[in-house]
């Protein structure tokens, strides 16, 4: 049953919903670009365990992360620590919605780790040469972000 999970559809729905509700950002599909082309990127990663073992990495331009943090903090000025905290909280909420949907829809038991964050590209962190991945790219104004899934 776990092989039938449509992660792409669930991930896409969660990214759009949480970006809008939590980050106050409207995102669109972005055919151009990859994690390697992001400006001053941040990477947030989680590992899923249980019936679906996966690695999800959220990579975003510094612009996206700063705008999201400012929006999450109701327009207040933000510093580096605020941006990192908000990025981890955003991805935690995103993964929580996605995993809850998977568990409810497919009657599975999947959990995810506490998010970790660092400056740099997704590819630097998870090693594109080590495993295959699917990339889901979005843009928000002139900025963009990518979610990578280990396959």
């Amino acid at each position: 049953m776990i092989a039938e999970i449509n992660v792409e559809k669930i991930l896409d729905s969660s990214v759009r919903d949480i970006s809008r509700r939590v980050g106050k950002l409207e995102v669109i599909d972005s055919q151009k670009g990859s994690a390697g082309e992001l400006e001053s990127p941040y990477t947030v990663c989680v590992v899923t365990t249980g019936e679906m073992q996966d690695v999800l990495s959220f990579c975003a331009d510094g612009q996206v992360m700063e705008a999201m943090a400012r929006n999450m903090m109701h327009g207040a000025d933000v510093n580096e620590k605020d941006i990192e905290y908000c990025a981890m909280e955003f991805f935690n909420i995103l993964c929580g919605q996605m995993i809850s949907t998977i568990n409810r829809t497919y009657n599975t038991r999947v959990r995810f780790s506490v998010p970790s964050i660092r400056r740099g590209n997704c590819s630097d962190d998870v090693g594109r040469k080590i495993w295959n991945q699917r990339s889901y790219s979005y843009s928000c104004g002139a900025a963009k972000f990518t979610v990578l899934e280990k396959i």
Side-chain angles (χ1 to χ4, degrees):
M1 173 172 25
I2 201 75
E4 299 172 12
I5 292 178
N6 187 342
V7 173
E8 182 175 355
K9 182 179 177 184
I10 294 169
L11 179 73
D12 184 65
S13 174
S14 296
V15 165
R16 291 172 189 282
D17 179 47
I18 299 303
S19 293
R20 186 184 73 256
R21 287 189 307 118
V22 176
K24 310 285 189 265
L25 301 171
E26 290 298 326
V27 299
I28 59 171
D29 288 341
S30 176
Q31 300 303 326
K32 299 177 183 176
S34 67
E37 298 173 0
L38 298 176
E39 301 267 338
S40 187
Y42 287 83
T43 297
V44 184
C45 292
V46 298
V47 175
T48 62
T49 59
E51 295 180 54
M52 182 179 99
Q53 298 190 6
D54 215 341
V55 176
L56 295 173
S57 297
F58 171 76
C59 304
D61 278 339
Q63 288 177 245
V64 170
M65 294 296 212
E66 185 176 344
M68 185 179 4
R70 206 174 315 106
N71 293 340
M72 289 172 73
M73 297 186 72
H74 308 289
D77 289 336
V78 294
N79 60 33
E80 185 81 15
K81 217 171 198 168
D82 297 328
I83 293 169
E84 289 181 4
Y85 172 80
C86 288
M88 288 192 303
E89 185 60 21
F90 172 85
F91 201 52
N92 191 50
I93 294 167
L94 172 66
C95 289
Q97 178 171 311
M98 188 181 99
I99 297 303
S100 293
T101 301
I102 288 171
N103 286 338
R104 186 176 51 254
T105 304
Y106 296 97
N107 196 28
T108 60
R109 289 183 179 223
V110 178
R111 291 177 175 60
F112 64 97
S113 66
V114 174
S116 63
I117 189 167
R118 70 178 212 63
R119 292 295 300 250
N121 281 335
C122 297
S123 58
D124 297 340
D125 201 32
V126 295
R128 291 177 188 232
K129 296 175 185 166
I130 298 172
W131 43 267
N132 294 324
Q133 63 193 17
R134 275 191 284 252
S135 174
Y136 309 97
S137 295
Y138 299 87
S139 62
C140 176
K144 56 188 165 215
F145 66 89
T146 301
V147 178
L148 298 176
E149 175 198 6
K150 173 188 167 192
I151 54 173

